[in-house]
Amino acid sequence: QVKLVESGGGLVQPGGSLRLSCAASGRIFSIDFVAWYRQAPGKERELVAAISSGGTTNYADSGKDRFTISRDNAKNTVYLQMNSLKPEDTAVYYCNADIARSYGSGSQVYWGQGTQVTVSS
């Protein structure tokens, strides 16, 4: 089965940086859109950034000029580089991807288990 696994989260001081990774494994024919979401306690899950198969990116206002989403198709991995982190960036970050498992099949949505990012002094 296809799995998405996030990694790279942790505790960082304000102004610091983290690089999150989302690695897809299993039977994969193609990966279309991939997005990073985050959810803080008591708040709704929100989109952070997204990237298409062609490399087109979108960012929420909260991460513009600080976050960068990228992908390495050879590794079936998507990254989220987060710089100048703020306490309000503290949340569980989730990877979401549209993946086709075989030729001719439609894509399905997959979610990772999430990785905790804590920004604190």
PDB file of all heavy atoms in Angstrom, residues 14-53:
ATOM      1  N   PRO A  14      12.731  30.554  17.775  1.00  0.00           N
ATOM      2  CA  PRO A  14      12.234  31.544  16.817  1.00  0.00           C
ATOM      3  C   PRO A  14      13.363  32.071  15.945  1.00  0.00           C
ATOM      4  O   PRO A  14      14.463  32.353  16.424  1.00  0.00           O
ATOM      5  CB  PRO A  14      11.662  32.641  17.712  1.00  0.00           C
ATOM      6  CG  PRO A  14      11.258  31.921  18.956  1.00  0.00           C
ATOM      7  CD  PRO A  14      12.319  30.861  19.155  1.00  0.00           C
ATOM      8  N   GLY A  15      13.076  32.191  14.664  1.00  0.00           N
ATOM      9  CA  GLY A  15      14.081  32.629  13.720  1.00  0.00           C
ATOM     10  C   GLY A  15      14.869  31.494  13.107  1.00  0.00           C
ATOM     11  O   GLY A  15      15.617  31.707  12.140  1.00  0.00           O
ATOM     12  N   GLY A  16      14.710  30.305  13.636  1.00  0.00           N
ATOM     13  CA  GLY A  16      15.422  29.152  13.135  1.00  0.00           C
ATOM     14  C   GLY A  16      14.764  28.554  11.907  1.00  0.00           C
ATOM     15  O   GLY A  16      13.763  29.065  11.398  1.00  0.00           O
ATOM     16  N   SER A  17      15.337  27.452  11.451  1.00  0.00           N
ATOM     17  CA  SER A  17      14.862  26.802  10.237  1.00  0.00           C
ATOM     18  C   SER A  17      14.691  25.306  10.435  1.00  0.00           C
ATOM     19  O   SER A  17      15.365  24.690  11.259  1.00  0.00           O
ATOM     20  CB  SER A  17      15.849  27.032   9.086  1.00  0.00           C
ATOM     21  OG  SER A  17      15.994  28.405   8.784  1.00  0.00           O
ATOM     22  N   LEU A  18      13.788  24.752   9.672  1.00  0.00           N
ATOM     23  CA  LEU A  18      13.577  23.314   9.620  1.00  0.00           C
ATOM     24  C   LEU A  18      13.270  22.923   8.187  1.00  0.00           C
ATOM     25  O   LEU A  18      12.676  23.704   7.440  1.00  0.00           O
ATOM     26  CB  LEU A  18      12.423  22.870  10.516  1.00  0.00           C
ATOM     27  CG  LEU A  18      12.647  22.818  12.022  1.00  0.00           C
ATOM     28  CD1 LEU A  18      11.332  22.493  12.725  1.00  0.00           C
ATOM     29  CD2 LEU A  18      13.705  21.784  12.380  1.00  0.00           C
ATOM     30  N   ARG A  19      13.654  21.722   7.837  1.00  0.00           N
ATOM     31  CA  ARG A  19      13.334  21.187   6.528  1.00  0.00           C
ATOM     32  C   ARG A  19      12.548  19.900   6.714  1.00  0.00           C
ATOM     33  O   ARG A  19      13.080  18.892   7.192  1.00  0.00           O
ATOM     34  CB  ARG A  19      14.597  20.903   5.715  1.00  0.00           C
ATOM     35  CG  ARG A  19      14.314  20.540   4.250  1.00  0.00           C
ATOM     36  CD  ARG A  19      15.546  19.966   3.588  1.00  0.00           C
ATOM     37  NE  ARG A  19      15.407  19.873   2.143  1.00  0.00           N
ATOM     38  CZ  ARG A  19      16.178  19.123   1.365  1.00  0.00           C
ATOM     39  NH1 ARG A  19      17.164  18.405   1.899  1.00  0.00           N
ATOM     40  NH2 ARG A  19      15.985  19.108   0.051  1.00  0.00           N
ATOM     41  N   LEU A  20      11.296  19.943   6.342  1.00  0.00           N
ATOM     42  CA  LEU A  20      10.442  18.778   6.446  1.00  0.00           C
ATOM     43  C   LEU A  20      10.506  17.959   5.163  1.00  0.00           C
ATOM     44  O   LEU A  20      10.638  18.510   4.071  1.00  0.00           O
ATOM     45  CB  LEU A  20       8.994  19.184   6.706  1.00  0.00           C
ATOM     46  CG  LEU A  20       8.737  20.104   7.907  1.00  0.00           C
ATOM     47  CD1 LEU A  20       7.232  20.334   8.058  1.00  0.00           C
ATOM     48  CD2 LEU A  20       9.329  19.522   9.177  1.00  0.00           C
ATOM     49  N   SER A  21      10.402  16.664   5.318  1.00  0.00           N
ATOM     50  CA  SER A  21      10.389  15.763   4.175  1.00  0.00           C
ATOM     51  C   SER A  21       9.131  14.921   4.193  1.00  0.00           C
ATOM     52  O   SER A  21       8.637  14.548   5.255  1.00  0.00           O
ATOM     53  CB  SER A  21      11.612  14.838   4.195  1.00  0.00           C
ATOM     54  OG  SER A  21      12.814  15.564   4.101  1.00  0.00           O
ATOM     55  N   CYS A  22       8.630  14.633   3.029  1.00  0.00           N
ATOM     56  CA  CYS A  22       7.488  13.742   2.867  1.00  0.00           C
ATOM     57  C   CYS A  22       7.872  12.706   1.827  1.00  0.00           C
ATOM     58  O   CYS A  22       7.993  13.028   0.642  1.00  0.00           O
ATOM     59  CB  CYS A  22       6.249  14.521   2.420  1.00  0.00           C
ATOM     60  SG  CYS A  22       4.831  13.487   1.990  1.00  0.00           S
ATOM     61  N   ALA A  23       8.072  11.498   2.270  1.00  0.00           N
ATOM     62  CA  ALA A  23       8.502  10.425   1.385  1.00  0.00           C
ATOM     63  C   ALA A  23       7.353   9.464   1.119  1.00  0.00           C
ATOM     64  O   ALA A  23       6.713   8.975   2.051  1.00  0.00           O
ATOM     65  CB  ALA A  23       9.679   9.676   1.995  1.00  0.00           C
ATOM     66  N   ALA A  24       7.106   9.204  -0.140  1.00  0.00           N
ATOM     67  CA  ALA A  24       6.071   8.265  -0.541  1.00  0.00           C
ATOM     68  C   ALA A  24       6.702   6.921  -0.875  1.00  0.00           C
ATOM     69  O   ALA A  24       7.748   6.854  -1.524  1.00  0.00           O
ATOM     70  CB  ALA A  24       5.306   8.787  -1.749  1.00  0.00           C
ATOM     71  N   SER A  25       6.063   5.867  -0.438  1.00  0.00           N
ATOM     72  CA  SER A  25       6.570   4.528  -0.711  1.00  0.00           C
ATOM     73  C   SER A  25       5.419   3.616  -1.102  1.00  0.00           C
ATOM     74  O   SER A  25       4.256   3.926  -0.875  1.00  0.00           O
ATOM     75  CB  SER A  25       7.310   3.960   0.501  1.00  0.00           C
ATOM     76  OG  SER A  25       6.442   3.829   1.614  1.00  0.00           O
ATOM     77  N   GLY A  26       5.762   2.472  -1.671  1.00  0.00           N
ATOM     78  CA  GLY A  26       4.758   1.537  -2.120  1.00  0.00           C
ATOM     79  C   GLY A  26       4.620   1.562  -3.634  1.00  0.00           C
ATOM     80  O   GLY A  26       5.462   2.110  -4.342  1.00  0.00           O
ATOM     81  N   ARG A  27       3.546   0.950  -4.112  1.00  0.00           N
ATOM     82  CA  ARG A  27       3.318   0.918  -5.545  1.00  0.00           C
ATOM     83  C   ARG A  27       2.820   2.284  -6.004  1.00  0.00           C
ATOM     84  O   ARG A  27       1.713   2.694  -5.661  1.00  0.00           O
ATOM     85  CB  ARG A  27       2.300  -0.161  -5.903  1.00  0.00           C
ATOM     86  CG  ARG A  27       2.055  -0.300  -7.399  1.00  0.00           C
ATOM     87  CD  ARG A  27       1.042  -1.391  -7.698  1.00  0.00           C
ATOM     88  NE  ARG A  27       0.730  -1.463  -9.119  1.00  0.00           N
ATOM     89  CZ  ARG A  27       1.433  -2.139 -10.010  1.00  0.00           C
ATOM     90  NH1 ARG A  27       2.501  -2.833  -9.626  1.00  0.00           N
ATOM     91  NH2 ARG A  27       1.060  -2.144 -11.280  1.00  0.00           N
ATOM     92  N   ILE A  28       3.645   2.952  -6.774  1.00  0.00           N
ATOM     93  CA  ILE A  28       3.338   4.304  -7.233  1.00  0.00           C
ATOM     94  C   ILE A  28       3.606   4.415  -8.721  1.00  0.00           C
ATOM     95  O   ILE A  28       4.702   4.116  -9.186  1.00  0.00           O
ATOM     96  CB  ILE A  28       4.180   5.343  -6.480  1.00  0.00           C
ATOM     97  CG1 ILE A  28       3.870   5.311  -4.988  1.00  0.00           C
ATOM     98  CG2 ILE A  28       3.932   6.738  -7.051  1.00  0.00           C
ATOM     99  CD1 ILE A  28       4.797   6.156  -4.161  1.00  0.00           C
ATOM    100  N   PHE A  29       2.605   4.852  -9.438  1.00  0.00           N
ATOM    101  CA  PHE A  29       2.789   5.112 -10.857  1.00  0.00           C
ATOM    102  C   PHE A  29       3.140   6.577 -11.091  1.00  0.00           C
ATOM    103  O   PHE A  29       4.035   6.891 -11.857  1.00  0.00           O
ATOM    104  CB  PHE A  29       1.538   4.736 -11.658  1.00  0.00           C
ATOM    105  CG  PHE A  29       1.671   5.020 -13.127  1.00  0.00           C
ATOM    106  CD1 PHE A  29       2.420   4.194 -13.942  1.00  0.00           C
ATOM    107  CD2 PHE A  29       1.058   6.128 -13.694  1.00  0.00           C
ATOM    108  CE1 PHE A  29       2.559   4.448 -15.298  1.00  0.00           C
ATOM    109  CE2 PHE A  29       1.182   6.393 -15.053  1.00  0.00           C
ATOM    110  CZ  PHE A  29       1.935   5.556 -15.852  1.00  0.00           C
ATOM    111  N   SER A  30       2.427   7.450 -10.422  1.00  0.00           N
ATOM    112  CA  SER A  30       2.702   8.864 -10.557  1.00  0.00           C
ATOM    113  C   SER A  30       2.175   9.611  -9.345  1.00  0.00           C
ATOM    114  O   SER A  30       1.239   9.169  -8.687  1.00  0.00           O
ATOM    115  CB  SER A  30       2.084   9.440 -11.836  1.00  0.00           C
ATOM    116  OG  SER A  30       0.671   9.354 -11.800  1.00  0.00           O
ATOM    117  N   ILE A  31       2.791  10.731  -9.070  1.00  0.00           N
ATOM    118  CA  ILE A  31       2.360  11.612  -7.996  1.00  0.00           C
ATOM    119  C   ILE A  31       2.021  12.954  -8.609  1.00  0.00           C
ATOM    120  O   ILE A  31       2.868  13.582  -9.240  1.00  0.00           O
ATOM    121  CB  ILE A  31       3.454  11.783  -6.928  1.00  0.00           C
ATOM    122  CG1 ILE A  31       3.852  10.430  -6.349  1.00  0.00           C
ATOM    123  CG2 ILE A  31       2.982  12.732  -5.836  1.00  0.00           C
ATOM    124  CD1 ILE A  31       4.992  10.495  -5.357  1.00  0.00           C
ATOM    125  N   ASP A  32       0.791  13.375  -8.429  1.00  0.00           N
ATOM    126  CA  ASP A  32       0.356  14.632  -9.015  1.00  0.00           C
ATOM    127  C   ASP A  32       0.592  15.777  -8.025  1.00  0.00           C
ATOM    128  O   ASP A  32       1.736  16.155  -7.794  1.00  0.00           O
ATOM    129  CB  ASP A  32      -1.116  14.538  -9.426  1.00  0.00           C
ATOM    130  CG  ASP A  32      -1.523  15.650 -10.374  1.00  0.00           C
ATOM    131  OD1 ASP A  32      -0.663  16.459 -10.769  1.00  0.00           O
ATOM    132  OD2 ASP A  32      -2.717  15.708 -10.731  1.00  0.00           O
ATOM    133  N   PHE A  33      -0.463  16.274  -7.445  1.00  0.00           N
ATOM    134  CA  PHE A  33      -0.330  17.380  -6.507  1.00  0.00           C
ATOM    135  C   PHE A  33       0.113  16.885  -5.141  1.00  0.00           C
ATOM    136  O   PHE A  33      -0.304  15.824  -4.677  1.00  0.00           O
ATOM    137  CB  PHE A  33      -1.650  18.129  -6.370  1.00  0.00           C
ATOM    138  CG  PHE A  33      -2.020  18.940  -7.566  1.00  0.00           C
ATOM    139  CD1 PHE A  33      -2.825  18.416  -8.560  1.00  0.00           C
ATOM    140  CD2 PHE A  33      -1.567  20.249  -7.693  1.00  0.00           C
ATOM    141  CE1 PHE A  33      -3.169  19.165  -9.673  1.00  0.00           C
ATOM    142  CE2 PHE A  33      -1.904  21.011  -8.800  1.00  0.00           C
ATOM    143  CZ  PHE A  33      -2.703  20.472  -9.789  1.00  0.00           C
ATOM    144  N   VAL A  34       0.949  17.666  -4.516  1.00  0.00           N
ATOM    145  CA  VAL A  34       1.379  17.399  -3.153  1.00  0.00           C
ATOM    146  C   VAL A  34       1.252  18.692  -2.364  1.00  0.00           C
ATOM    147  O   VAL A  34       1.592  19.766  -2.871  1.00  0.00           O
ATOM    148  CB  VAL A  34       2.829  16.891  -3.084  1.00  0.00           C
ATOM    149  CG1 VAL A  34       3.205  16.592  -1.638  1.00  0.00           C
ATOM    150  CG2 VAL A  34       2.994  15.643  -3.939  1.00  0.00           C
ATOM    151  N   ALA A  35       0.772  18.578  -1.161  1.00  0.00           N
ATOM    152  CA  ALA A  35       0.584  19.766  -0.341  1.00  0.00           C
ATOM    153  C   ALA A  35       1.006  19.501   1.095  1.00  0.00           C
ATOM    154  O   ALA A  35       0.983  18.364   1.572  1.00  0.00           O
ATOM    155  CB  ALA A  35      -0.873  20.218  -0.370  1.00  0.00           C
ATOM    156  N   TRP A  36       1.400  20.550   1.741  1.00  0.00           N
ATOM    157  CA  TRP A  36       1.662  20.526   3.176  1.00  0.00           C
ATOM    158  C   TRP A  36       0.548  21.278   3.892  1.00  0.00           C
ATOM    159  O   TRP A  36       0.193  22.396   3.492  1.00  0.00           O
ATOM    160  CB  TRP A  36       3.004  21.171   3.519  1.00  0.00           C
ATOM    161  CG  TRP A  36       4.196  20.330   3.199  1.00  0.00           C
ATOM    162  CD1 TRP A  36       4.962  20.380   2.088  1.00  0.00           C
ATOM    163  CD2 TRP A  36       4.758  19.310   4.036  1.00  0.00           C
ATOM    164  NE1 TRP A  36       5.976  19.457   2.156  1.00  0.00           N
ATOM    165  CE2 TRP A  36       5.873  18.785   3.338  1.00  0.00           C
ATOM    166  CE3 TRP A  36       4.439  18.788   5.286  1.00  0.00           C
ATOM    167  CZ2 TRP A  36       6.664  17.759   3.866  1.00  0.00           C
ATOM    168  CZ3 TRP A  36       5.217  17.772   5.806  1.00  0.00           C
ATOM    169  CH2 TRP A  36       6.308  17.268   5.104  1.00  0.00           C
ATOM    170  N   TYR A  37       0.014  20.654   4.901  1.00  0.00           N
ATOM    171  CA  TYR A  37      -0.971  21.263   5.770  1.00  0.00           C
ATOM    172  C   TYR A  37      -0.418  21.299   7.185  1.00  0.00           C
ATOM    173  O   TYR A  37       0.527  20.580   7.514  1.00  0.00           O
ATOM    174  CB  TYR A  37      -2.279  20.469   5.765  1.00  0.00           C
ATOM    175  CG  TYR A  37      -3.096  20.569   4.496  1.00  0.00           C
ATOM    176  CD1 TYR A  37      -2.753  19.845   3.365  1.00  0.00           C
ATOM    177  CD2 TYR A  37      -4.227  21.380   4.455  1.00  0.00           C
ATOM    178  CE1 TYR A  37      -3.505  19.927   2.207  1.00  0.00           C
ATOM    179  CE2 TYR A  37      -4.991  21.469   3.300  1.00  0.00           C
ATOM    180  CZ  TYR A  37      -4.626  20.747   2.186  1.00  0.00           C
ATOM    181  OH  TYR A  37      -5.392  20.829   1.038  1.00  0.00           O
ATOM    182  N   ARG A  38      -1.027  22.110   8.002  1.00  0.00           N
ATOM    183  CA  ARG A  38      -0.650  22.118   9.407  1.00  0.00           C
ATOM    184  C   ARG A  38      -1.885  22.335  10.265  1.00  0.00           C
ATOM    185  O   ARG A  38      -2.870  22.922   9.822  1.00  0.00           O
ATOM    186  CB  ARG A  38       0.403  23.193   9.712  1.00  0.00           C
ATOM    187  CG  ARG A  38      -0.103  24.625   9.623  1.00  0.00           C
ATOM    188  CD  ARG A  38       1.042  25.601   9.829  1.00  0.00           C
ATOM    189  NE  ARG A  38       0.596  26.984   9.848  1.00  0.00           N
ATOM    190  CZ  ARG A  38       1.405  28.036   9.885  1.00  0.00           C
ATOM    191  NH1 ARG A  38       2.728  27.852   9.918  1.00  0.00           N
ATOM    192  NH2 ARG A  38       0.909  29.265   9.901  1.00  0.00           N
ATOM    193  N   GLN A  39      -1.810  21.847  11.477  1.00  0.00           N
ATOM    194  CA  GLN A  39      -2.908  21.995  12.399  1.00  0.00           C
ATOM    195  C   GLN A  39      -2.373  22.223  13.805  1.00  0.00           C
ATOM    196  O   GLN A  39      -1.649  21.391  14.339  1.00  0.00           O
ATOM    197  CB  GLN A  39      -3.817  20.771  12.383  1.00  0.00           C
ATOM    198  CG  GLN A  39      -5.081  20.921  13.202  1.00  0.00           C
ATOM    199  CD  GLN A  39      -6.092  19.828  12.924  1.00  0.00           C
ATOM    200  OE1 GLN A  39      -5.741  18.737  12.475  1.00  0.00           O
ATOM    201  NE2 GLN A  39      -7.358  20.112  13.167  1.00  0.00           N
ATOM    202  N   ALA A  40      -2.739  23.349  14.357  1.00  0.00           N
ATOM    203  CA  ALA A  40      -2.375  23.676  15.721  1.00  0.00           C
ATOM    204  C   ALA A  40      -3.518  23.273  16.642  1.00  0.00           C
ATOM    205  O   ALA A  40      -4.672  23.185  16.208  1.00  0.00           O
ATOM    206  CB  ALA A  40      -2.085  25.167  15.855  1.00  0.00           C
ATOM    207  N   PRO A  41      -3.232  23.027  17.912  1.00  0.00           N
ATOM    208  CA  PRO A  41      -4.286  22.640  18.854  1.00  0.00           C
ATOM    209  C   PRO A  41      -5.426  23.646  18.879  1.00  0.00           C
ATOM    210  O   PRO A  41      -5.195  24.846  18.984  1.00  0.00           O
ATOM    211  CB  PRO A  41      -3.553  22.600  20.193  1.00  0.00           C
ATOM    212  CG  PRO A  41      -2.142  22.286  19.833  1.00  0.00           C
ATOM    213  CD  PRO A  41      -1.903  23.036  18.549  1.00  0.00           C
ATOM    214  N   GLY A  42      -6.641  23.147  18.757  1.00  0.00           N
ATOM    215  CA  GLY A  42      -7.805  24.000  18.798  1.00  0.00           C
ATOM    216  C   GLY A  42      -8.085  24.770  17.529  1.00  0.00           C
ATOM    217  O   GLY A  42      -9.021  25.581  17.498  1.00  0.00           O
ATOM    218  N   LYS A  43      -7.311  24.532  16.496  1.00  0.00           N
ATOM    219  CA  LYS A  43      -7.499  25.240  15.244  1.00  0.00           C
ATOM    220  C   LYS A  43      -7.755  24.269  14.107  1.00  0.00           C
ATOM    221  O   LYS A  43      -7.462  23.081  14.198  1.00  0.00           O
ATOM    222  CB  LYS A  43      -6.276  26.106  14.922  1.00  0.00           C
ATOM    223  CG  LYS A  43      -6.019  27.219  15.921  1.00  0.00           C
ATOM    224  CD  LYS A  43      -4.861  28.096  15.474  1.00  0.00           C
ATOM    225  CE  LYS A  43      -4.632  29.242  16.439  1.00  0.00           C
ATOM    226  NZ  LYS A  43      -3.507  30.113  15.992  1.00  0.00           N
ATOM    227  N   GLU A  44      -8.318  24.800  13.041  1.00  0.00           N
ATOM    228  CA  GLU A  44      -8.585  23.990  11.867  1.00  0.00           C
ATOM    229  C   GLU A  44      -7.301  23.719  11.098  1.00  0.00           C
ATOM    230  O   GLU A  44      -6.351  24.500  11.137  1.00  0.00           O
ATOM    231  CB  GLU A  44      -9.593  24.692  10.952  1.00  0.00           C
ATOM    232  CG  GLU A  44     -10.970  24.886  11.561  1.00  0.00           C
ATOM    233  CD  GLU A  44     -11.939  25.545  10.609  1.00  0.00           C
ATOM    234  OE1 GLU A  44     -11.485  26.075   9.573  1.00  0.00           O
ATOM    235  OE2 GLU A  44     -13.146  25.524  10.882  1.00  0.00           O
ATOM    236  N   ARG A  45      -7.294  22.595  10.405  1.00  0.00           N
ATOM    237  CA  ARG A  45      -6.166  22.292   9.543  1.00  0.00           C
ATOM    238  C   ARG A  45      -6.148  23.276   8.384  1.00  0.00           C
ATOM    239  O   ARG A  45      -7.181  23.552   7.769  1.00  0.00           O
ATOM    240  CB  ARG A  45      -6.265  20.858   9.035  1.00  0.00           C
ATOM    241  CG  ARG A  45      -5.049  20.389   8.258  1.00  0.00           C
ATOM    242  CD  ARG A  45      -5.115  18.895   7.972  1.00  0.00           C
ATOM    243  NE  ARG A  45      -5.135  18.108   9.197  1.00  0.00           N
ATOM    244  CZ  ARG A  45      -5.067  16.783   9.229  1.00  0.00           C
ATOM    245  NH1 ARG A  45      -4.969  16.093   8.109  1.00  0.00           N
ATOM    246  NH2 ARG A  45      -5.116  16.153  10.397  1.00  0.00           N
ATOM    247  N   GLU A  46      -4.973  23.796   8.083  1.00  0.00           N
ATOM    248  CA  GLU A  46      -4.857  24.787   7.035  1.00  0.00           C
ATOM    249  C   GLU A  46      -3.754  24.432   6.047  1.00  0.00           C
ATOM    250  O   GLU A  46      -2.757  23.806   6.393  1.00  0.00           O
ATOM    251  CB  GLU A  46      -4.582  26.171   7.633  1.00  0.00           C
ATOM    252  CG  GLU A  46      -3.260  26.271   8.377  1.00  0.00           C
ATOM    253  CD  GLU A  46      -2.976  27.668   8.897  1.00  0.00           C
ATOM    254  OE1 GLU A  46      -3.797  28.582   8.666  1.00  0.00           O
ATOM    255  OE2 GLU A  46      -1.925  27.853   9.545  1.00  0.00           O
ATOM    256  N   LEU A  47      -3.965  24.860   4.837  1.00  0.00           N
ATOM    257  CA  LEU A  47      -2.974  24.644   3.791  1.00  0.00           C
ATOM    258  C   LEU A  47      -1.772  25.543   4.028  1.00  0.00           C
ATOM    259  O   LEU A  47      -1.913  26.724   4.331  1.00  0.00           O
ATOM    260  CB  LEU A  47      -3.577  24.935   2.421  1.00  0.00           C
ATOM    261  CG  LEU A  47      -2.636  24.843   1.218  1.00  0.00           C
ATOM    262  CD1 LEU A  47      -2.231  23.397   0.975  1.00  0.00           C
ATOM    263  CD2 LEU A  47      -3.295  25.421  -0.032  1.00  0.00           C
ATOM    264  N   VAL A  48      -0.594  24.983   3.870  1.00  0.00           N
ATOM    265  CA  VAL A  48       0.642  25.737   4.003  1.00  0.00           C
ATOM    266  C   VAL A  48       1.251  26.011   2.639  1.00  0.00           C
ATOM    267  O   VAL A  48       1.614  27.144   2.314  1.00  0.00           O
ATOM    268  CB  VAL A  48       1.661  24.999   4.888  1.00  0.00           C
ATOM    269  CG1 VAL A  48       2.976  25.775   4.955  1.00  0.00           C
ATOM    270  CG2 VAL A  48       1.100  24.787   6.281  1.00  0.00           C
ATOM    271  N   ALA A  49       1.390  24.971   1.848  1.00  0.00           N
ATOM    272  CA  ALA A  49       1.986  25.098   0.527  1.00  0.00           C
ATOM    273  C   ALA A  49       1.595  23.905  -0.322  1.00  0.00           C
ATOM    274  O   ALA A  49       1.266  22.835   0.199  1.00  0.00           O
ATOM    275  CB  ALA A  49       3.513  25.201   0.623  1.00  0.00           C
ATOM    276  N   ALA A  50       1.633  24.084  -1.625  1.00  0.00           N
ATOM    277  CA  ALA A  50       1.300  23.007  -2.538  1.00  0.00           C
ATOM    278  C   ALA A  50       2.184  23.091  -3.770  1.00  0.00           C
ATOM    279  O   ALA A  50       2.653  24.172  -4.143  1.00  0.00           O
ATOM    280  CB  ALA A  50      -0.171  23.070  -2.945  1.00  0.00           C
ATOM    281  N   ILE A  51       2.394  21.949  -4.393  1.00  0.00           N
ATOM    282  CA  ILE A  51       3.201  21.902  -5.606  1.00  0.00           C
ATOM    283  C   ILE A  51       2.607  20.888  -6.566  1.00  0.00           C
ATOM    284  O   ILE A  51       2.194  19.800  -6.176  1.00  0.00           O
ATOM    285  CB  ILE A  51       4.682  21.569  -5.276  1.00  0.00           C
ATOM    286  CG1 ILE A  51       5.552  21.679  -6.523  1.00  0.00           C
ATOM    287  CG2 ILE A  51       4.799  20.195  -4.624  1.00  0.00           C
ATOM    288  CD1 ILE A  51       7.047  21.651  -6.218  1.00  0.00           C
ATOM    289  N   SER A  52       2.548  21.247  -7.827  1.00  0.00           N
ATOM    290  CA  SER A  52       2.005  20.367  -8.846  1.00  0.00           C
ATOM    291  C   SER A  52       3.102  19.485  -9.417  1.00  0.00           C
ATOM    292  O   SER A  52       4.287  19.649  -9.125  1.00  0.00           O
ATOM    293  CB  SER A  52       1.364  21.192  -9.964  1.00  0.00           C
ATOM    294  OG  SER A  52       2.356  21.843 -10.739  1.00  0.00           O
ATOM    295  N   SER A  53       2.696  18.547 -10.253  1.00  0.00           N
ATOM    296  CA  SER A  53       3.677  17.678 -10.896  1.00  0.00           C
ATOM    297  C   SER A  53       4.624  18.463 -11.786  1.00  0.00           C
ATOM    298  O   SER A  53       5.764  18.046 -12.001  1.00  0.00           O
ATOM    299  CB  SER A  53       2.965  16.599 -11.716  1.00  0.00           C
ATOM    300  OG  SER A  53       2.152  17.175 -12.722  1.00  0.00           O
TER     301      SER A  53
END
